[in-house]
Amino acid sequence: MSNSTPPPRSISTRVSYATAPVTATALDKPVGQWLANCRKQGGLGKNTDVARRREQQLAAIDPDWNPGAPGLGWTVDWQRTYAAIAGLVASGAGLEEIVPGVTTDGVDVGRWLQRQRQHVVWHGLKPGQRKRLSSLGVTPLPPAARETSRKTVRGGSAAFERGCAALTQYKARTGVTGPISRTHTEVLPDGAEVRLGVFLSNTKTRRARLTADQLQQLADLGLHWAQQTLTETPR
């Protein structure tokens, strides 16, 4: 597209082109930042014909280069983790081998995959997300396999899991994790209502009481304060 454009095909053989992090480089070109700029509104240029041609060029390399676009509607972080798992499967790994503790580039992809399979989380995903996971052979767990009954969601870890499921659903729909009004309520696929704004406020206030696993779940969803707490707090 220009002399400053990184050569995308040079990295597409190693990682999904769409998922290159902002810090990624290829042949000394800042491909990650360039991609992030392309995804912004008007990032492909003001001329409609030029922008359309550039979009087609990117899509020819990776159809999922812009996962937040209309018709898709999820985050680059989600796509990046999915692509990491797809890469493992393509290299011969079985899904049964991708368990919590298996990491790629510092991300626990096993734990991420386990969460995607949870009944509530799965049904909170976009159809395109479920289609991509299904193409790898991933299937959702039945409700009873991972989740407690709705009668018990008021207490302990069950309430925390419901809150995380609500945040996952919200993020999948909006592409962000905040700011979220304290009065906001998410309705999960099983009809349960989660006061997401209250959950986030209370969880942040009581973050010193959270386990490392709980903080990691929140950090994986994009809550920076959770990642900061993990970094600063010896456990």
Side-chain angles (χ1 to χ4, degrees), residues 2 4 13 24 35 85 87 96 109 131 145 178 181 188-189 196:
S2 73
S4 62
T13 57
L35 269 172
I85 291 175
E96 70 280 359
V109 293
K131 179 179 179 180
S181 167
L188 297 178
L196 182 57

Side-chain angles (χ1 to χ4, degrees), residues 182-194:
R182 186 175 173 82
T183 60
H184 179 74
T185 297
E186 279 288 307
V187 179
L188 297 178
D190 64 359
E193 295 185 358
V194 177

Side-chain angles (χ1 to χ4, degrees), residues 207-208 210 212 215 225-235:
R207 57 187 177 275
L210 298 176
L215 284 169
W225 61 261
Q227 184 60 57
Q228 184 177 8
T229 303
L230 273 172
T231 303
E232 296 176 349
T233 305
R235 291 177 181 270

Side-chain angles (χ1 to χ4, degrees), residues 29-156:
K29 299 292 186 179
V31 65
Q33 185 59 61
W34 175 76
L35 269 172
N37 293 340
C38 287
R39 293 189 191 102
K40 294 178 181 178
Q41 185 173 2
L44 295 178
K46 296 181 180 180
N47 183 288
T48 303
D49 292 335
V50 172
R52 183 182 301 110
R53 184 172 66 253
R54 289 174 174 173
E55 183 176 7
Q56 290 171 347
Q57 289 175 322
L58 288 166
I61 297 169
D62 188 336
D64 291 339
W65 75 274
N66 187 14
L72 298 180
W74 53 86
T75 66
V76 175
D77 285 343
W78 191 94
Q79 184 69 26
R80 180 179 299 123
T81 311
Y82 161 77
I85 291 175
L88 291 175
V89 172
S91 65
L95 290 175
E96 70 280 359
E97 299 175 77
I98 308 175
V99 297
V102 174
T103 63
T104 299
D105 294 329
V107 177
D108 191 331
V109 293
R111 176 183 292 168
W112 182 89
L113 181 59
Q114 184 184 67
R115 281 190 52 74
Q116 304 310 301
R117 296 188 65 208
Q118 291 179 24
H119 182 77
V120 171
V121 175
W122 179 273
H123 289 284
L125 297 174
K126 299 282 188 180
Q129 291 173 299
R130 293 196 294 269
K131 179 179 179 180
R132 283 159 177 76
L133 289 170
S134 296
S135 71
L136 300 179
V138 179
T139 57
L141 296 171
R146 286 279 301 173
E147 300 164 31
T148 56
S149 70
R150 290 178 58 187
K151 294 181 180 180
T152 65
V153 300
R154 292 181 178 272

